[in-house]
Amino acid sequence: MPSPIASIVSAGISKFGVRDGIYSRELFAEAEKEAVDNSPNLDPRKDVQALFLGMMSESYEHQAHVAPLMLDWVGLLPKPAFRTEGACASSSVALRAALFSIASGIYNVVLVGGVEKMTHVSTTGVTEILAMASDFPFEQWHGISFTGIFGMMAVDHMHRYGTTEEQLAKVAVKNHEHGALNEKAHFQKRITVNDVLSSQPVAWPLKLFDCCPRSDGASCIILTSPKIAKKFTDTPVNIIGSGHAQDTLSLSERENFSMMQVTRLASHEAYSMSKVTPQQIDVAEVHDCFTIAEIMAYEDLGFCKPGEGGKLIDEGETHIGAKIPVNTSGGLKAKGHPVGATGVAQACEIFLQLTNQAGKRQVTGAEIGLTQNVGGAASTGLVHVYQRGD
Amino acid sequence: MPSPIASIVSAGISKFGVRDGIYSRELFAEAEKEAVDNSPNLDPRKDVQALFLGMMSESYEHQAHVAPLMLDWVGLLPKPAFRTEGACASSSVALRAALFSIASGIYNVVLVGGVEKMTHVSTTGVTEILAMASDFPFEQWHGISFTGIFGMMAVDHMHRYGTTEEQLAKVAVKNHEHGALNEKAHFQKRITVNDVLSSQPVAWPLKLFDCCPRSDGASCIILTSPKIAKKFTDTPVNIIGSGHAQDTLSLSERENFSMMQVTRLASHEAYSMSKVTPQQIDVAEVHDCFTIAEIMAYEDLGFCKPGEGGKLIDEGETHIGAKIPVNTSGGLKAKGHPVGATGVAQACEIFLQLTNQAGKRQVTGAEIGLTQNVGGAASTGLVHVYQRGD
């Protein structure tokens, strides 16, 4: 891919959380409106050429075929619209497909978004719907949920590297601290290590507060070719690296449960393309569906060596103000995880950080950012690298 | 887009029909194996860079996240894989996304496929799953199915243009005639106009034999940049036009039920790009989910004037050997409609026709072909134009 591949000129995000009495289409319109309102030089009907939308499941609202539906709800018929699904990485897949369309020169301005409406479904119902991202005959059928799958990863990591329950808990504490600074976050309340350790066990060693919530929410960015980005904003953010890899759906087919091969491969591709090293990243949004996932992300992204993720959180190096702030938005844990919205929501946070619009959670002088998003048991993995464009 | 945008160098299709006791992953592997076996110069692990896969619904097999699953089943981990969903046009959306990736120069060789496993679910269950492609609050909730939606389109077309039940029946008769020449087709049996007219009413004027069946099946093409196509085959087929448009999900928001605006817009885009006129098309695969849909496709693609679709089938002009042979494969009606597989299966048939490999159903001297695929109540529409590349 060329570098920069494309530029983000605006971003919008709905309030995440329990959004009773509305449909996903209304959530998406809320995010899209913010992105459009923040880009006064953009005339959506004239300028926007297509929509790329990530959503995981038709089952929450008994509603498939959501690309034309969302397009209609933001007044952009009859433009082309693409829905992608890659489990919890659905909208990162949309972002990568959108990058191709920009890199080809076919489109110059597109919307990229994601949405999921989950909280009207029971916890059991949501667990069953999410389980569809694992293998039916080899996993679902036997009753394992994703908490069980990530619980096994945590057990392996603890056994192999001596990672502790306290270290896992510290990831949740940090992300709640960050989420308390984000008025869009699902949870805006600080918690303690003891709150996590004493919360209800779900799949040992993971307890309730090691798990992200089910949330409603939507996200949207306006993506343009780098050449015309300055027409829409003085402060574009360039996407300078994109990586994407896949692994087996079933965890049982893997040799090592303590790492995410897709994150290693995708970050290697994104770093190579952008000629950025892990040490140069100023701010990162990573996929903390469970606390252990963030620990593994530190290692697989090269923020520390394999096995030293626990030490990195112990030393406080991933807090705002420290060496490499991670999940300044609150992450999936505190901001919330409306599955389809998550990948693009990560890009929204990096856009805010690199344009100095992140308010109370601003990382001073951030110039280079990264997002890491996985689907299922890290069967899908995407990493993007961003650079301030002004 | 450049012209040609990309080249098809091989195609594979599973047997369509009732495929008991197997999973969708096995169907897709069957189609992929045929495509690979037909391309002896291709080394999939070395040459193929990504998979673009269309599938409509997670509900048939309680299985989402199918892109890495299918990729694993054909031995291509850890390459990137994209799943797209656009209802019955899911794999045409995958094809268009794949075209972007080739046009950008990022990929040179990709697999594009589609799959759906439906027949293990009851007719009622399938009807409910398909209904998810219509609007939940405005349509599904009130109990309307797609047969009802296309039945209303047929009533409007009959009222507006005098189209008759016999003309609708003749579409089914022709497509069964063509399907009888296709050993991969779900139905390989000729039927009569009287068989159709006397079959069980489903949603008047549509009777059972006006409706495509529910089928299991998969399809796969190998798509390359035009520059390197000859490395893999002496007879590539170039994609020279691509069009894509959207409409409201709900039919109630439309002013005219007798036409498919998405087909008009998408074909206009594809014709303009390829500089081909409707009169130059030698063979076409169109979306005959119900017989009325094929009549409307004739008109919206410009094969005849609006309102003259009934006359075109009366005059036999869309049979093999006549002016513009349509659905030589048997179409959705006789070949079958495993939803996610359909778009790419249409491309497979055009590949066979333009490379003179269509056997008993070969259209003599076919050089230019077209596919038209719609999703839902024609809320998604894609048209592609193909040209023999040798």
Short mmCIF file of all heavy atoms in Angstrom, two decimals, chain A residues 1 25 57-59 62-65 78-81 83-85 96 106-107 128 132-137 140 246 375 380, chain B residues 1 25 57-59 62-65 78-79 81 83-85 96 106-107 128 132-137 140 246 375 380:
data_model
loop_
_atom_site.label_atom_id
_atom_site.label_comp_id
_atom_site.label_asym_id
_atom_site.label_seq_id
_atom_site.Cartn_x
_atom_site.Cartn_y
_atom_site.Cartn_z
N MET A 1 0.85 -1.20 0.00
CA MET A 1 0.00 0.00 0.00
C MET A 1 0.88 1.24 0.00
O MET A 1 1.99 1.21 0.51
CB MET A 1 -0.87 0.02 1.26
CG MET A 1 -1.91 -1.08 1.32
SD MET A 1 -3.24 -0.68 2.51
CE MET A 1 -3.95 -2.30 2.77
N ARG A 25 -29.98 1.52 13.98
CA ARG A 25 -29.95 2.56 12.93
C ARG A 25 -29.88 3.96 13.56
O ARG A 25 -29.26 4.87 13.01
CB ARG A 25 -31.17 2.41 12.02
CG ARG A 25 -32.48 2.51 12.73
CD ARG A 25 -33.68 2.12 11.87
NE ARG A 25 -33.79 0.67 11.73
CZ ARG A 25 -34.79 0.06 11.10
NH1 ARG A 25 -35.74 0.76 10.52
NH2 ARG A 25 -34.82 -1.25 11.01
N SER A 57 -23.63 -9.11 14.31
CA SER A 57 -24.70 -10.11 14.34
C SER A 57 -26.06 -9.59 13.96
O SER A 57 -26.54 -8.57 14.45
CB SER A 57 -24.79 -10.74 15.73
OG SER A 57 -25.79 -11.72 15.74
N GLU A 58 -26.75 -10.38 13.12
CA GLU A 58 -28.14 -10.15 12.74
C GLU A 58 -29.10 -10.53 13.88
O GLU A 58 -30.28 -10.21 13.83
CB GLU A 58 -28.48 -11.00 11.51
CG GLU A 58 -28.58 -12.50 11.83
CD GLU A 58 -28.31 -13.43 10.68
OE1 GLU A 58 -27.67 -13.03 9.69
OE2 GLU A 58 -28.73 -14.60 10.78
N SER A 59 -28.56 -11.26 14.88
CA SER A 59 -29.45 -11.89 15.86
C SER A 59 -29.96 -10.94 16.94
O SER A 59 -31.01 -11.18 17.53
CB SER A 59 -28.74 -13.08 16.52
OG SER A 59 -28.46 -14.07 15.54
N HIS A 62 -32.80 -9.16 14.98
CA HIS A 62 -33.41 -9.93 13.87
C HIS A 62 -33.33 -9.09 12.59
O HIS A 62 -34.31 -8.92 11.86
CB HIS A 62 -34.87 -10.28 14.20
CG HIS A 62 -35.32 -11.56 13.55
ND1 HIS A 62 -35.96 -11.59 12.34
CD2 HIS A 62 -35.18 -12.85 13.92
CE1 HIS A 62 -36.23 -12.85 12.01
NE2 HIS A 62 -35.76 -13.64 12.96
N GLN A 63 -32.14 -8.57 12.33
CA GLN A 63 -31.96 -7.63 11.23
C GLN A 63 -30.62 -7.85 10.55
O GLN A 63 -29.57 -7.53 11.12
CB GLN A 63 -32.06 -6.19 11.76
CG GLN A 63 -31.99 -5.13 10.69
CD GLN A 63 -33.24 -5.16 9.81
OE1 GLN A 63 -34.31 -4.81 10.27
NE2 GLN A 63 -33.09 -5.61 8.57
N ALA A 64 -30.66 -8.42 9.35
CA ALA A 64 -29.48 -8.48 8.49
C ALA A 64 -29.58 -7.33 7.48
O ALA A 64 -30.40 -6.44 7.64
CB ALA A 64 -29.41 -9.83 7.77
N HIS A 65 -28.72 -7.35 6.47
CA HIS A 65 -28.82 -6.40 5.34
C HIS A 65 -28.75 -4.97 5.86
O HIS A 65 -29.50 -4.09 5.40
CB HIS A 65 -30.15 -6.65 4.61
CG HIS A 65 -30.07 -6.32 3.14
ND1 HIS A 65 -31.16 -6.38 2.32
CD2 HIS A 65 -29.03 -5.95 2.34
CE1 HIS A 65 -30.81 -6.05 1.08
NE2 HIS A 65 -29.52 -5.79 1.08
N PRO A 78 -28.75 6.64 -3.11
CA PRO A 78 -28.56 5.21 -3.43
C PRO A 78 -27.08 4.81 -3.51
O PRO A 78 -26.74 3.90 -4.26
CB PRO A 78 -29.19 5.11 -4.82
CG PRO A 78 -28.78 6.42 -5.47
CD PRO A 78 -28.72 7.44 -4.36
N LYS A 79 -26.21 5.48 -2.76
CA LYS A 79 -24.77 5.20 -2.87
C LYS A 79 -24.47 3.75 -2.46
O LYS A 79 -25.20 3.15 -1.68
CB LYS A 79 -23.99 6.16 -1.97
CG LYS A 79 -24.18 7.63 -2.37
CD LYS A 79 -23.58 8.58 -1.35
CE LYS A 79 -24.04 10.02 -1.55
NZ LYS A 79 -23.37 10.73 -2.63
N PRO A 80 -23.36 3.19 -2.95
CA PRO A 80 -23.03 1.81 -2.58
C PRO A 80 -22.66 1.69 -1.10
O PRO A 80 -22.06 2.61 -0.52
CB PRO A 80 -21.82 1.47 -3.45
CG PRO A 80 -21.38 2.71 -4.10
CD PRO A 80 -22.45 3.75 -3.95
N ALA A 81 -23.02 0.56 -0.50
CA ALA A 81 -22.73 0.32 0.92
C ALA A 81 -22.31 -1.13 1.10
O ALA A 81 -22.89 -2.03 0.51
CB ALA A 81 -23.96 0.63 1.77
N ARG A 83 -21.33 -4.12 3.97
CA ARG A 83 -21.23 -4.59 5.35
C ARG A 83 -20.18 -5.69 5.43
O ARG A 83 -20.18 -6.62 4.62
CB ARG A 83 -22.54 -5.18 5.86
CG ARG A 83 -22.38 -5.79 7.26
CD ARG A 83 -23.46 -6.76 7.67
NE ARG A 83 -23.04 -7.54 8.83
CZ ARG A 83 -23.65 -8.64 9.26
NH1 ARG A 83 -24.71 -9.08 8.63
NH2 ARG A 83 -23.18 -9.29 10.30
N THR A 84 -19.29 -5.56 6.40
CA THR A 84 -18.31 -6.60 6.66
C THR A 84 -18.58 -7.19 8.04
O THR A 84 -19.10 -6.52 8.93
CB THR A 84 -16.88 -6.04 6.65
OG1 THR A 84 -16.81 -4.98 7.61
CG2 THR A 84 -16.50 -5.51 5.29
N GLU A 85 -18.20 -8.45 8.20
CA GLU A 85 -18.32 -9.12 9.51
C GLU A 85 -17.05 -9.89 9.78
O GLU A 85 -16.64 -10.72 8.97
CB GLU A 85 -19.53 -10.06 9.54
CG GLU A 85 -19.74 -10.75 10.88
CD GLU A 85 -19.06 -12.11 11.01
OE1 GLU A 85 -19.11 -12.88 10.03
OE2 GLU A 85 -18.46 -12.39 12.07
N ARG A 96 -10.27 -1.68 6.60
CA ARG A 96 -9.26 -2.15 5.64
C ARG A 96 -9.84 -2.23 4.22
O ARG A 96 -9.19 -1.84 3.25
CB ARG A 96 -8.70 -3.50 6.07
CG ARG A 96 -7.51 -3.93 5.22
CD ARG A 96 -6.73 -5.06 5.88
NE ARG A 96 -5.93 -5.80 4.94
CZ ARG A 96 -4.61 -5.67 4.78
NH1 ARG A 96 -3.95 -4.79 5.50
NH2 ARG A 96 -3.95 -6.40 3.92
N ILE A 106 -10.54 4.73 -6.77
CA ILE A 106 -11.95 4.64 -7.19
C ILE A 106 -12.81 5.58 -6.36
O ILE A 106 -13.68 6.25 -6.87
CB ILE A 106 -12.43 3.18 -7.10
CG1 ILE A 106 -11.67 2.34 -8.14
CG2 ILE A 106 -13.94 3.09 -7.31
CD1 ILE A 106 -11.72 0.84 -7.90
N TYR A 107 -12.57 5.62 -5.05
CA TYR A 107 -13.28 6.56 -4.18
C TYR A 107 -12.27 7.53 -3.57
O TYR A 107 -11.11 7.17 -3.33
CB TYR A 107 -14.01 5.83 -3.05
CG TYR A 107 -15.12 4.91 -3.51
CD1 TYR A 107 -15.34 3.69 -2.88
CD2 TYR A 107 -15.98 5.26 -4.56
CE1 TYR A 107 -16.37 2.85 -3.28
CE2 TYR A 107 -17.01 4.42 -4.97
CZ TYR A 107 -17.20 3.21 -4.33
OH TYR A 107 -18.20 2.38 -4.73
N GLU A 128 -24.64 -16.39 23.99
CA GLU A 128 -24.89 -17.36 22.91
C GLU A 128 -24.63 -16.73 21.54
O GLU A 128 -24.06 -17.38 20.65
CB GLU A 128 -26.32 -17.90 22.99
CG GLU A 128 -26.51 -19.04 22.00
CD GLU A 128 -27.92 -19.59 21.94
OE1 GLU A 128 -28.71 -19.36 22.88
OE2 GLU A 128 -28.23 -20.26 20.92
N MET A 132 -21.25 -17.54 18.52
CA MET A 132 -21.27 -17.86 17.08
C MET A 132 -19.96 -17.51 16.39
O MET A 132 -19.70 -17.97 15.28
CB MET A 132 -22.43 -17.16 16.39
CG MET A 132 -23.75 -17.84 16.70
SD MET A 132 -25.06 -17.38 15.55
CE MET A 132 -25.74 -15.97 16.40
N ALA A 133 -19.13 -16.67 17.04
CA ALA A 133 -17.81 -16.34 16.46
C ALA A 133 -16.79 -17.43 16.75
O ALA A 133 -15.65 -17.35 16.27
CB ALA A 133 -17.32 -15.00 16.99
N SER A 134 -17.17 -18.45 17.52
CA SER A 134 -16.29 -19.61 17.71
C SER A 134 -16.83 -20.78 16.88
O SER A 134 -17.92 -20.68 16.30
CB SER A 134 -16.21 -19.98 19.20
OG SER A 134 -17.46 -20.45 19.67
N ASP A 135 -16.09 -21.88 16.84
CA ASP A 135 -16.43 -22.98 15.94
C ASP A 135 -17.63 -23.77 16.48
O ASP A 135 -17.61 -24.23 17.62
CB ASP A 135 -15.20 -23.88 15.80
CG ASP A 135 -15.35 -24.85 14.65
OD1 ASP A 135 -16.21 -25.76 14.73
OD2 ASP A 135 -14.62 -24.70 13.68
N PHE A 136 -18.66 -23.96 15.65
CA PHE A 136 -19.85 -24.66 16.13
C PHE A 136 -19.56 -26.11 16.52
O PHE A 136 -19.75 -26.48 17.67
CB PHE A 136 -21.00 -24.56 15.12
CG PHE A 136 -22.24 -25.26 15.58
CD1 PHE A 136 -23.08 -24.67 16.53
CD2 PHE A 136 -22.57 -26.53 15.13
CE1 PHE A 136 -24.21 -25.32 17.00
CE2 PHE A 136 -23.70 -27.19 15.61
CZ PHE A 136 -24.53 -26.59 16.53
N PRO A 137 -19.09 -26.95 15.59
CA PRO A 137 -18.91 -28.35 16.01
C PRO A 137 -17.80 -28.56 17.04
O PRO A 137 -17.91 -29.45 17.87
CB PRO A 137 -18.60 -29.08 14.69
CG PRO A 137 -18.15 -28.03 13.75
CD PRO A 137 -18.85 -26.77 14.16
N GLN A 140 -18.61 -24.37 20.26
CA GLN A 140 -19.93 -24.00 20.76
C GLN A 140 -20.72 -25.20 21.29
O GLN A 140 -21.35 -25.15 22.34
CB GLN A 140 -20.76 -23.37 19.65
CG GLN A 140 -20.31 -22.04 19.15
CD GLN A 140 -21.24 -21.58 18.03
OE1 GLN A 140 -22.45 -21.54 18.17
NE2 GLN A 140 -20.67 -21.23 16.89
N GLN A 246 -5.20 -13.99 9.92
CA GLN A 246 -6.23 -14.90 10.44
C GLN A 246 -5.58 -16.07 11.14
O GLN A 246 -4.43 -16.42 10.86
CB GLN A 246 -7.11 -15.44 9.29
CG GLN A 246 -7.66 -14.39 8.34
CD GLN A 246 -8.76 -13.52 8.89
OE1 GLN A 246 -9.07 -12.46 8.34
NE2 GLN A 246 -9.35 -13.90 10.01
N GLY A 375 -10.87 -10.53 16.51
CA GLY A 375 -12.20 -11.15 16.45
C GLY A 375 -12.12 -12.57 16.97
O GLY A 375 -11.15 -13.28 16.68
N THR A 380 -9.26 -13.51 13.99
CA THR A 380 -9.09 -12.38 13.08
C THR A 380 -8.28 -11.33 13.83
O THR A 380 -8.54 -11.10 15.02
CB THR A 380 -10.45 -11.79 12.68
OG1 THR A 380 -11.17 -12.75 11.91
CG2 THR A 380 -10.30 -10.49 11.87
N MET B 1 -12.89 3.26 -12.25
CA MET B 1 -12.04 2.07 -12.23
C MET B 1 -11.35 1.91 -13.57
O MET B 1 -11.88 2.32 -14.59
CB MET B 1 -12.90 0.81 -11.98
CG MET B 1 -13.49 0.74 -10.59
SD MET B 1 -13.99 -0.97 -10.16
CE MET B 1 -15.16 -0.65 -8.84
N ARG B 25 -18.50 -25.24 5.40
CA ARG B 25 -17.05 -25.22 5.16
C ARG B 25 -16.65 -26.31 4.14
O ARG B 25 -15.73 -26.11 3.35
CB ARG B 25 -16.31 -25.40 6.49
CG ARG B 25 -16.66 -26.68 7.21
CD ARG B 25 -16.08 -26.72 8.62
NE ARG B 25 -16.89 -25.93 9.55
CZ ARG B 25 -16.67 -25.88 10.86
NH1 ARG B 25 -15.68 -26.57 11.42
NH2 ARG B 25 -17.43 -25.16 11.64
N SER B 57 -26.14 -15.51 6.20
CA SER B 57 -26.68 -15.64 7.55
C SER B 57 -25.90 -16.57 8.45
O SER B 57 -25.59 -17.70 8.08
CB SER B 57 -28.13 -16.10 7.49
OG SER B 57 -28.64 -16.22 8.80
N GLU B 58 -25.67 -16.10 9.69
CA GLU B 58 -25.09 -16.90 10.75
C GLU B 58 -26.09 -17.91 11.32
O GLU B 58 -25.72 -18.81 12.07
CB GLU B 58 -24.64 -15.97 11.89
CG GLU B 58 -25.81 -15.38 12.67
CD GLU B 58 -25.53 -14.07 13.36
OE1 GLU B 58 -24.58 -13.37 12.98
OE2 GLU B 58 -26.31 -13.75 14.29
N SER B 59 -27.38 -17.71 10.96
CA SER B 59 -28.43 -18.46 11.67
C SER B 59 -28.59 -19.90 11.19
O SER B 59 -29.08 -20.75 11.94
CB SER B 59 -29.76 -17.72 11.55
OG SER B 59 -29.66 -16.46 12.18
N HIS B 62 -25.67 -21.61 13.06
CA HIS B 62 -25.24 -20.97 14.31
C HIS B 62 -23.74 -20.69 14.22
O HIS B 62 -22.96 -21.00 15.12
CB HIS B 62 -25.54 -21.86 15.53
CG HIS B 62 -25.80 -21.08 16.79
ND1 HIS B 62 -24.81 -20.81 17.69
CD2 HIS B 62 -26.92 -20.49 17.26
CE1 HIS B 62 -25.33 -20.09 18.69
NE2 HIS B 62 -26.59 -19.89 18.45
N GLN B 63 -23.34 -20.07 13.11
CA GLN B 63 -21.92 -19.89 12.83
C GLN B 63 -21.67 -18.56 12.13
O GLN B 63 -22.02 -18.40 10.96
CB GLN B 63 -21.41 -21.05 11.94
CG GLN B 63 -19.92 -21.02 11.67
CD GLN B 63 -19.13 -21.30 12.94
OE1 GLN B 63 -19.14 -22.41 13.42
NE2 GLN B 63 -18.47 -20.30 13.49
N ALA B 64 -21.11 -17.61 12.87
CA ALA B 64 -20.62 -16.37 12.28
C ALA B 64 -19.12 -16.51 12.07
O ALA B 64 -18.59 -17.62 12.16
CB ALA B 64 -20.93 -15.20 13.21
N HIS B 65 -18.45 -15.41 11.77
CA HIS B 65 -16.98 -15.39 11.69
C HIS B 65 -16.48 -16.43 10.68
O HIS B 65 -15.49 -17.15 10.94
CB HIS B 65 -16.42 -15.69 13.10
CG HIS B 65 -15.09 -15.02 13.36
ND1 HIS B 65 -14.36 -15.25 14.49
CD2 HIS B 65 -14.35 -14.16 12.63
CE1 HIS B 65 -13.24 -14.55 14.46
NE2 HIS B 65 -13.22 -13.87 13.34
N PRO B 78 -2.28 -18.01 7.36
CA PRO B 78 -2.94 -16.92 8.09
C PRO B 78 -3.29 -15.73 7.20
O PRO B 78 -3.33 -14.60 7.68
CB PRO B 78 -1.86 -16.51 9.08
CG PRO B 78 -0.59 -16.61 8.27
CD PRO B 78 -0.81 -17.77 7.31
N LYS B 79 -3.54 -15.95 5.91
CA LYS B 79 -3.80 -14.83 4.99
C LYS B 79 -5.06 -14.06 5.41
O LYS B 79 -5.95 -14.62 6.04
CB LYS B 79 -3.97 -15.38 3.58
CG LYS B 79 -2.72 -16.10 3.05
CD LYS B 79 -3.00 -16.83 1.74
CE LYS B 79 -1.90 -17.82 1.40
NZ LYS B 79 -0.69 -17.20 0.84
N ALA B 81 -8.73 -12.46 5.38
CA ALA B 81 -10.01 -12.91 4.82
C ALA B 81 -11.11 -11.94 5.22
O ALA B 81 -11.16 -11.48 6.36
CB ALA B 81 -10.34 -14.31 5.32
N ARG B 83 -15.31 -11.20 5.15
CA ARG B 83 -16.68 -11.63 4.88
C ARG B 83 -17.54 -10.41 4.63
O ARG B 83 -17.51 -9.45 5.41
CB ARG B 83 -17.30 -12.40 6.04
CG ARG B 83 -18.77 -12.74 5.77
CD ARG B 83 -19.57 -13.09 7.00
NE ARG B 83 -21.00 -13.04 6.71
CZ ARG B 83 -21.96 -13.04 7.62
NH1 ARG B 83 -21.65 -13.09 8.89
NH2 ARG B 83 -23.23 -12.97 7.26
N THR B 84 -18.31 -10.46 3.55
CA THR B 84 -19.28 -9.41 3.27
C THR B 84 -20.68 -9.99 3.34
O THR B 84 -20.88 -11.18 3.10
CB THR B 84 -19.07 -8.82 1.86
OG1 THR B 84 -19.15 -9.89 0.92
CG2 THR B 84 -17.72 -8.13 1.75
N GLU B 85 -21.65 -9.12 3.69
CA GLU B 85 -23.05 -9.55 3.69
C GLU B 85 -23.88 -8.46 3.05
O GLU B 85 -23.83 -7.30 3.46
CB GLU B 85 -23.54 -9.81 5.12
CG GLU B 85 -24.98 -10.30 5.21
CD GLU B 85 -26.00 -9.18 5.38
OE1 GLU B 85 -25.71 -8.25 6.16
OE2 GLU B 85 -27.07 -9.24 4.75
N ARG B 96 -17.02 -7.06 -5.58
CA ARG B 96 -16.68 -5.65 -5.77
C ARG B 96 -15.58 -5.20 -4.81
O ARG B 96 -14.66 -4.48 -5.20
CB ARG B 96 -17.92 -4.77 -5.62
CG ARG B 96 -17.67 -3.31 -6.02
CD ARG B 96 -18.98 -2.58 -6.24
NE ARG B 96 -18.82 -1.15 -6.14
CZ ARG B 96 -18.74 -0.30 -7.17
NH1 ARG B 96 -18.81 -0.76 -8.39
NH2 ARG B 96 -18.61 0.99 -6.97
N ILE B 106 -2.66 -3.53 -4.41
CA ILE B 106 -2.24 -4.14 -3.14
C ILE B 106 -2.20 -5.65 -3.27
O ILE B 106 -1.29 -6.31 -2.79
CB ILE B 106 -3.16 -3.68 -2.00
CG1 ILE B 106 -2.97 -2.18 -1.77
CG2 ILE B 106 -2.88 -4.47 -0.73
CD1 ILE B 106 -4.09 -1.51 -1.01
N TYR B 107 -3.21 -6.22 -3.90
CA TYR B 107 -3.21 -7.67 -4.17
C TYR B 107 -3.19 -7.90 -5.68
O TYR B 107 -3.73 -7.11 -6.46
CB TYR B 107 -4.46 -8.33 -3.57
CG TYR B 107 -4.55 -8.28 -2.07
CD1 TYR B 107 -5.78 -8.08 -1.45
CD2 TYR B 107 -3.43 -8.47 -1.26
CE1 TYR B 107 -5.88 -8.03 -0.06
CE2 TYR B 107 -3.54 -8.42 0.13
CZ TYR B 107 -4.75 -8.20 0.72
OH TYR B 107 -4.86 -8.16 2.09
N GLU B 128 -38.05 -17.35 7.72
CA GLU B 128 -37.81 -16.39 8.79
C GLU B 128 -36.39 -15.83 8.71
O GLU B 128 -36.18 -14.63 8.92
CB GLU B 128 -38.05 -17.04 10.16
CG GLU B 128 -37.98 -15.98 11.26
CD GLU B 128 -38.14 -16.52 12.67
OE1 GLU B 128 -38.64 -17.65 12.84
OE2 GLU B 128 -37.75 -15.78 13.59
N MET B 132 -34.94 -11.61 7.54
CA MET B 132 -34.04 -10.66 8.21
C MET B 132 -33.42 -9.67 7.24
O MET B 132 -32.89 -8.64 7.67
CB MET B 132 -32.94 -11.41 8.96
CG MET B 132 -33.46 -12.03 10.24
SD MET B 132 -32.12 -12.49 11.37
CE MET B 132 -31.83 -14.15 10.85
N ALA B 133 -33.49 -9.95 5.93
CA ALA B 133 -32.99 -9.00 4.93
C ALA B 133 -34.01 -7.90 4.64
O ALA B 133 -33.72 -6.99 3.87
CB ALA B 133 -32.60 -9.73 3.65
N SER B 134 -35.19 -7.99 5.24
CA SER B 134 -36.18 -6.90 5.12
C SER B 134 -36.20 -6.15 6.46
O SER B 134 -35.57 -6.55 7.43
CB SER B 134 -37.56 -7.45 4.76
OG SER B 134 -38.08 -8.25 5.81
N ASP B 135 -36.95 -5.05 6.49
CA ASP B 135 -36.91 -4.16 7.66
C ASP B 135 -37.68 -4.76 8.83
O ASP B 135 -38.85 -5.11 8.69
CB ASP B 135 -37.51 -2.81 7.24
CG ASP B 135 -37.21 -1.73 8.26
OD1 ASP B 135 -37.73 -1.83 9.39
OD2 ASP B 135 -36.45 -0.82 7.92
N PHE B 136 -37.05 -4.85 9.99
CA PHE B 136 -37.73 -5.47 11.14
C PHE B 136 -38.97 -4.70 11.57
O PHE B 136 -40.07 -5.25 11.53
CB PHE B 136 -36.76 -5.70 12.31
CG PHE B 136 -37.42 -6.35 13.48
CD1 PHE B 136 -37.68 -7.72 13.47
CD2 PHE B 136 -37.85 -5.61 14.58
CE1 PHE B 136 -38.33 -8.34 14.54
CE2 PHE B 136 -38.51 -6.22 15.64
CZ PHE B 136 -38.75 -7.58 15.63
N PRO B 137 -38.85 -3.42 11.97
CA PRO B 137 -40.06 -2.76 12.46
C PRO B 137 -41.12 -2.51 11.38
O PRO B 137 -42.31 -2.55 11.68
CB PRO B 137 -39.56 -1.44 13.06
CG PRO B 137 -38.21 -1.24 12.47
CD PRO B 137 -37.65 -2.59 12.17
N GLN B 140 -40.88 -7.10 8.65
CA GLN B 140 -40.89 -8.42 9.29
C GLN B 140 -41.96 -8.52 10.39
O GLN B 140 -42.65 -9.52 10.51
CB GLN B 140 -39.54 -8.70 9.97
CG GLN B 140 -38.37 -8.86 9.07
CD GLN B 140 -37.11 -9.11 9.90
OE1 GLN B 140 -37.08 -9.97 10.77
NE2 GLN B 140 -36.07 -8.33 9.65
N GLN B 246 -27.88 1.15 -3.89
CA GLN B 246 -28.73 0.73 -2.77
C GLN B 246 -30.09 1.43 -2.87
O GLN B 246 -30.21 2.50 -3.47
CB GLN B 246 -28.09 1.12 -1.43
CG GLN B 246 -26.64 0.72 -1.24
CD GLN B 246 -26.37 -0.77 -1.08
OE1 GLN B 246 -25.27 -1.25 -1.24
NE2 GLN B 246 -27.40 -1.52 -0.77
N GLY B 375 -30.15 -7.92 -3.60
CA GLY B 375 -30.34 -8.38 -2.22
C GLY B 375 -31.63 -7.81 -1.68
O GLY B 375 -31.95 -6.65 -1.94
N THR B 380 -30.25 -3.86 -2.37
CA THR B 380 -28.87 -3.88 -2.82
C THR B 380 -28.88 -4.37 -4.26
O THR B 380 -29.62 -5.30 -4.59
CB THR B 380 -28.03 -4.86 -1.96
OG1 THR B 380 -27.95 -4.36 -0.63
CG2 THR B 380 -26.62 -5.04 -2.52
#
